[in-house]
Amino acid sequence: MSRQALDALKQQILLLDYLQAHDWRPARTLSRGRFMGLCPLHEDHEPSFLVDPLKNLFYCYGCGRGGDVIRFAELYHQVKFPQALALLRQWLGLPLLLRETAEFYRVQLHRCSEAVDYLYQRGIRSSELIEHMRIGYAPGGCLRGWLTQLGYSRVTLREAGLVSAAGYDTYMHRVVFPLEGNLYGRSISACAPPHRFLPGTKGGLYAWEHAQGYPEVILVEGLFDYAALWQAGFHNVTCSVGNQLNARQYRQLCDSPRTVYLALDADENGSGQKAAQSLAYRLTEHGISARTVSLPEGHDPNSFFAQGGDAHQFQCLLEAARG
Ligand SMILES: [Zn+2]
């Protein structure tokens, strides 16, 4: 990438916008329009992170690191320079591309009975829920043509991970759930790896804008768990999409006083329970009240409901978790 292209990228991405999109908030305003806040790069308790929006630069008095938006992306995502550039470019252009892709997949869902059958089997039956989660379907072999018609280059589609190096759609026979800045694809066929994401971060907690206002929040690890609970009337639910929370998701859970019910999978090897216990411990240390929900062995919230559990029974599990 040439010097000019680098400068152009830095002009297009304002450091402050990028920081705010990653949940950074200034704690106070200084002279010449500068801001001070907690450092997102190290465990910071006193605001020591200085941002100068006019110069598009940051400096941390705690960890001594500083630079421009590219340097920030390198440090924050812990990647090398070329990957940081790719992430930034993706951040700039991705929202529209992903919205258009998700929209295309949504239309396909209603054309493909195998996808609707799969959802039905997994307990997703309400059209209101499908609408709420914006669930779509990737049949494979038709996305690239559609996006090319819309003017996207093959390079862009490849960089976004939507098309393989050989030019094929990467998502095939997958139910697709739009996440913040990514698309999760669940294979409906047993021959392919079940879970797939586009390159880049999985983003924050799923549908956090809906859940964050509730004083009690239920945290699950899978989107089908989310779907089952939402459909059963528990709208105070959110999902980490995996049993490990990333830093952003963790900060979201801790962003105001609340009770978090951890309804992670009860795997037979106990890994889900261990993850729940260590998470409960960390949350408690941050002043968040955490309760571990004990599901019957071998169950996750989705299978609990799919095998006949109802809202009343789940409510009893929540009550029991009150401790
Ligand atoms: Zn720092």
Side-chain angles (χ1 to χ4, degrees):
M1 202 182 198
S2 71
R3 176 86 231 166
Q4 278 159 322
L6 277 181
D7 288 342
L9 182 71
K10 282 194 272 184
Q11 271 170 17
Q12 282 178 67
I13 303 184
L14 298 177
L15 175 64
L16 189 60
D17 285 352
Y18 192 74
L19 287 168
Q20 286 177 335
H22 291 81
D23 290 325
W24 186 78
R25 300 286 172 264
R28 58 176 191 273
T29 310
L30 307 178
S31 61
R32 298 194 298 278
R34 295 167 308 159
F35 297 107
M36 202 66 165
L38 291 176
C39 176
L41 305 173
H42 80 277
E43 186 85 14
D44 197 8
H45 302 289
E46 294 285 331
S48 47
F49 189 78
L50 176 76
V51 178
D52 188 332
L54 293 175
K55 293 185 180 152
N56 239 359
L57 295 172
F58 71 95
Y59 180 75
C60 175
Y61 290 95
C63 60
R65 291 179 289 188
D68 58 17
V69 68
I70 303 174
R71 182 73 186 132
F72 179 79
E74 280 182 296
L75 294 167
Y76 187 78
H77 299 291
Q78 299 180 352
V79 294
K80 299 215 162 70
F81 188 76
Q83 284 160 293
L85 289 183
L87 284 174
L88 289 170
R89 274 207 302 265
Q90 210 185 13
W91 184 78
L92 260 184
L94 202 60
L96 180 63
L97 173 57
L98 289 189
R99 259 206 314 281
E100 281 170 337
T101 303
E103 200 44 49
F104 178 77
Y105 285 154
R106 239 148 71 116
V107 174
Q108 305 309 312
L109 178 70
H110 299 287
R111 293 183 177 164
C112 301
S113 60
E114 71 271 27
V116 178
D117 289 349
Y118 177 83
L119 289 179
Y120 196 82
Q121 237 180 63
R122 298 286 312 260
I124 297 185
R125 288 154 198 203
S126 121
S127 55
E128 195 195 345
L129 173 66
I130 292 175
E131 200 51 37
H132 167 71
M133 295 183 80
R134 299 182 293 133
I135 302 173
Y137 180 63
C142 52
L143 178 74
R144 183 186 142 198
W146 169 254
L147 292 174
T148 307
Q149 262 182 43
L150 293 183
Y152 289 100
S153 74
R154 191 155 148 184
V155 175
T156 304
L157 301 183
R158 206 175 58 219
E159 277 177 1
L162 292 168
V163 166
S164 70
Y168 298 109
D169 289 7
T170 42
Y171 284 15
M172 284 183 73
H173 309 304
R174 282 177 191 274
V175 169
V176 177
F177 296 84
L179 308 176
E180 177 194 83
N182 210 315
L183 296 174
Y184 164 71
R186 175 64 169 89
S187 174
I188 68 166
S189 130
C191 325
H195 312 291
R196 189 146 191 182
F197 294 89
L198 298 176
T201 159
K202 65 182 173 180
L205 290 167
Y206 183 76
W208 184 237
E209 67 281 12
H210 296 292
Q212 78 181 131
Y214 290 95
E216 298 190 335
V217 168
I218 306 168
L219 176 74
V220 297
E221 60 182 79
L223 288 164
F224 285 95
D225 301 325
Y226 176 97
L229 279 170
W230 200 90
Q231 202 169 235
F234 297 92
H235 291 186
N236 56 331
V237 60
T238 188
C239 174
S240 52
V241 198
N243 68 11
Q244 299 293 329
L245 266 68
N246 63 30
R248 167 116 200 272
Q249 294 176 326
Y250 188 73
R251 277 199 303 274
Q252 287 174 319
L253 274 187
C254 296
D255 72 3
S256 77
R258 60 171 59 89
T259 300
V260 179
Y261 289 90
L262 305 171
L264 307 182
D265 301 3
D267 329 294
E268 274 149 44
N269 64 16
S271 71
Q273 290 90 320
K274 274 194 207 112
Q277 272 163 15
S278 89
L279 178 58
Y281 181 76
R282 282 169 62 207
L283 287 171
T284 309
E285 275 194 320
H286 276 86
I288 298 293
S289 153
R291 308 264 190 265
T292 307
V293 179
S294 301
L295 290 155
E297 190 169 315
H299 275 288
D300 56 36
N302 179 258
S303 63
F304 177 82
F305 283 98
Q307 289 176 25
D310 62 23
H312 173 72
Q313 289 167 338
F314 194 82
Q315 186 62 45
C316 293
L317 294 179
L318 292 179
E319 305 279 332
R322 262 175 230 280

